[in-house]
Each structure stands twice: as C-alpha cells, then as structure tokens.
Amino acid sequence: MASVLIVEDEPVVRNTLTRLLSKRGYDTISVDSGEAALHCLAAVNDVNVALIDVDLPGINGFELVRRLEVDQPQITPVLLSGADRDRLELFGDQHSIKIMRKPINFKCLIDVINDPKKS
C-alpha cells in the first residue's frame, strides 16, 4: 500500500484527506507547508506519492514539485488545486505530473494514488 504525503495548508482539507486515506489503509503524513514537506522528507524515505496543494504559503506547490523532481524523483507528485486551469495545465504539461481539481473526487484520488502514472 502506498505511503502518502499530504501537503495542504487548509486544516479541514488536510485532516479530511488524512482521515479518509488512513481509513483506506494508506500510511499518511500530513504537513501544512512546502517547507514542512521538505523537512519531513529529509527524515522519511518511504513516501510514494505526494498530494500537493498549489497555493501554499512560502514555498508554493509548483516550487515543491520542482524540488521533488531533483531531490526526490522516486516520489510521484500530484497537484491539488482550484487555481486557474490554464496555469495548472501549462505546469502539468511541462512537468508531466497529474493534476486534480478541487473539490477532489475521492474515488479518482484513490485511483491516482494506486497508479499515479496512469492518465
């Protein structure tokens, strides 16, 4: 079963994702910022998928994905956002990553976690 890092600054969203994924048997780690994610990943090396909100304080989701591509390429990032579709798609195309629009469809999210490289 995948180990999932949740990077979300909104407590309700972060806690809901953590609770729902944990109930489905996933190991989860949740943090509220890009900086906290990088700090966490420096200490933990078994994360498979990172669910990353785009609009984070400090290091935003786009920058976090860029850093993961260089420093943690074994982690599959998935962007979660309600941001402008064109902005998201341009970044997604440039970085070949999955983007899920908020509100998140939980069944689709589970499918992405189980097979994040599938379109």
Side-chain angles (χ1 to χ4, degrees):
M1 181 92 25
S3 180
V4 182
L5 173 65
I6 301 163
V7 187
E8 171 63 63
D9 62 324
E10 293 293 328
V12 171
V13 176
R14 185 176 61 249
N15 294 336
T16 300
L17 285 172
T18 300
R19 188 174 54 254
L20 289 171
L21 291 173
S22 294
K23 283 184 179 181
R24 294 292 290 261
Y26 296 94
D27 291 326
T28 61
I29 302 166
S30 62
V31 296
D32 63 357
S33 70
E35 292 85 355
L38 292 173
H39 184 265
C40 175
L41 290 171
V44 176
N45 60 6
D46 65 345
V47 171
N48 305 98
V49 176
L51 304 178
I52 304 168
D53 183 29
V54 170
D55 296 316
L56 296 168
I59 297 173
N60 69 29
F62 294 138
E63 180 59 26
L64 181 56
V65 167
R66 287 183 193 101
R67 291 187 187 194
L68 290 179
E69 288 173 336
V70 172
D71 299 332
Q72 303 272 348
Q74 76 281 5
I75 297 173
T76 301
V78 178
L79 284 176
L80 309 177
S81 184
D84 179 84
R85 185 177 299 275
D86 291 337
R87 185 177 116 191
L88 293 172
E89 288 175 358
L90 177 62
F91 186 84
D93 290 345
Q94 291 172 343
H95 294 268
S96 299
I97 63 169
K98 184 71 175 172
I99 297 171
M100 297 193 72
R101 304 267 309 152
K102 292 180 180 179
I104 302 299
N105 176 309
F106 190 66
K107 182 192 177 318
C108 291
L109 178 63
I110 294 298
D111 291 343
V112 167
I113 291 170
N114 289 336
D115 192 1
K117 298 295 185 185
K118 187 177 177 183
S119 298

